[in-house]
Amino acid sequence: MARSPGTTGDSVAMRIIIRGFVAFAVAMAALLAIAAPARAEGCMGPCWGKDTRADAPYTAGAGSALFFADGEYMYVTDWHKDGAGVRVHFSVNYGAWQERTNTNGAHNQTLYNLSYGENLSFRFFVCLSNNGTNLAGTCSTMVYAHT
């Protein structure tokens, strides 16, 4: 078998393996891009979640909100010891904005039973807050859900 100069069987096999990994990575990235961005995995029934964003000195995921459609439960969680609270803003059927907060400190979760009817639109976003003021750079993107 003739080989080009400087090419060994091992390097050809390595290039084939690398191409296979690249193709796999591209396929996985495409699947992740088309997946529902805010849908929380592992929920019993429909639920949606979102984490706060990074904005120095706060890191991404310092706070989170998780909405369960069955029962209309909202969990607001403070994950980091950073001196900031967590606030979720939400609107039902595009009505007035409401908010719920967790100012209980790091590694604490607050549960809110919102008790709304079924088949309503629900949108929310979550931010870190300091003394009742949103830390704007930490706010998540909007999540569109339903009850």
Side-chain angles (χ1 to χ4, degrees), residues 58-146:
Y58 306 101
T59 58
S64 67
L66 183 62
F67 174 70
F68 285 83
D70 293 337
E72 299 82 42
Y73 293 105
M74 177 67 75
Y75 291 89
V76 182
T77 307
D78 187 339
W79 294 106
H80 295 166
K81 185 177 180 179
D82 54 18
V86 181
R87 176 182 289 135
V88 63
H89 298 264
F90 67 94
S91 171
V92 179
N93 270 0
Y94 294 90
W97 284 98
Q98 302 177 52
E99 57 188 52
R100 300 294 187 272
T101 59
N102 177 349
T103 57
N104 297 324
H107 306 291
N108 278 290
Q109 184 176 71
T110 303
L111 168 63
Y112 293 98
N113 184 352
L114 303 176
S115 297
Y116 288 100
E118 300 302 316
N119 300 314
L120 299 174
S121 65
F122 190 91
R123 59 188 174 148
F124 70 94
F125 63 95
V126 62
C127 306
L128 294 180
S129 66
N130 187 13
N131 295 324
T133 302
N134 285 346
L135 301 170
T138 67
C139 294
S140 71
T141 57
M142 185 75 66
V143 178
Y144 295 90
H146 58 82

